[in-house]
Amino acid sequence: MLSALLAMHLAAGAVALGLGSKLGHRAFAVAALAPVATVGFALSQASDVLSGSPVMTSSPWVPTLGLTLDLRLDAFALLMVALVSGVGTVVFGYAWHYFAGSRRAGRAAGLLVLFSGAMLGVVLADNVLALYGFWELTSITSFLLIGLDDRDGGSRGAAMHALLVTGAGALAMLGGLVILGHEAGTFRLSEILASPPSGTAVSAAVVLVLIGAFAKSAQYPFHSWLPGAMVAPTPISAYLH
């Protein structure tokens, strides 16, 4: 079911982007179905999850390399789903009114729900390499959302600035995650946390992961991209930040 929720975000994004010119701001109603369904599923599982029975799924990802797409909804992930999809539902409702009459409504709705799906993937991922993949998808969708007005040079510049800073930080994070997985003997996040490795290499890996996190969250000295990102329309800025 967890993978189906991610697929639902992808499908909603495709519909909103493909039919945006016909749907107009109504595309946000289509896009909102994915986060609303996610909130509903999370509420239905909340009792079991909070009692210590997480929801887990595993699907083949890159079989030749033995990689799987492991997803896990535990208590902390449940809290983050409330933020990603719960707040997201409110943002989509606001965007419905904000983009009324806008020629960019369909594109905004499609990209926003794809961004929501990427964030949901980060929250649910139980494989550090899958987590990195979703992390990068948030960077790409953020780039497209910040530069939504692609006719404006300022928007394009702000989007590129954000992508370069967060992308460079993400490369550092990838190095850290690979080292961490190698030292732990597994790339499964829950297993790493259950039996964390130690040593100089692990300390270096943690620093690299933190660099990526600091860049993405615009912490000093990686904060320079954030003011420019505010050129995005208000609902997008609200959801991004």
Side-chain angles (χ1 to χ4, degrees):
M1 184 60 187
L2 297 179
S3 56
L5 292 174
L6 296 177
M8 187 180 296
H9 282 76
L10 178 61
V15 171
L17 290 172
L19 300 179
S21 60
K22 296 182 179 180
L23 293 174
H25 76 291
R26 290 173 296 177
F28 283 99
V30 174
L33 293 175
V36 168
T38 301
V39 170
F41 176 77
L43 289 175
S44 72
Q45 301 297 316
S47 178
D48 289 340
V49 169
L50 292 176
S51 65
S53 300
V55 179
M56 296 180 288
T57 63
S58 183
S59 307
W61 181 22
V62 187
T64 54
L65 298 178
L67 297 178
T68 56
L69 178 59
D70 302 311
L71 303 174
R72 178 185 175 96
L73 178 66
D74 54 20
F76 181 66
L78 187 68
L79 172 62
M80 299 309 294
V81 166
L83 291 175
V84 170
S85 300
V87 173
T89 299
V90 176
V91 170
F92 278 99
Y94 173 48
W96 163 285
H97 298 283
Y98 185 94
F99 282 96
S102 172
R103 62 178 179 82
R104 298 192 299 271
R107 184 182 178 195
L111 291 174
L112 208 59
V113 73
L114 290 177
F115 175 73
S116 178
M119 286 198 297
L120 184 64
V122 171
V123 169
L124 297 177
D126 194 29
N127 180 295
V128 294
L129 297 182
L131 186 153
Y132 173 76
F134 287 118
W135 185 272
E136 283 293 72
L137 286 175
T138 66
S139 294
I140 294 170
T141 48
S142 295
F143 165 76
L144 295 171
L145 284 166
I146 294 170
L148 185 68
D149 186 2
D150 52 8
R151 297 181 181 181
D152 179 66
S155 295
R156 294 197 303 271
M160 183 59 69
H161 188 184
L163 182 64
L164 290 174
V165 174
T166 59
L171 288 176
M173 172 178 278
L174 176 59
L177 293 175
V178 170
I179 294 172
L180 189 60
H182 180 268
E183 292 297 310
T186 177
F187 288 101
R188 189 139 192 176
L189 183 58
S190 56
E191 294 179 2
I192 294 174
L193 294 175
S195 182
S198 59
T200 303
V202 173
S203 297
V206 171
V207 171
L208 290 173
V209 171
L210 287 175
I211 288 174
F214 271 50
K216 176 75 79 175
S217 56
Q219 301 300 310
Y220 181 86
F222 308 105
H223 62 291
S224 60
W225 65 269
L226 185 59
M230 296 298 181
V231 301
T234 302
I236 291 174
S237 290
Y239 204 24
L240 289 179
H241 303 125

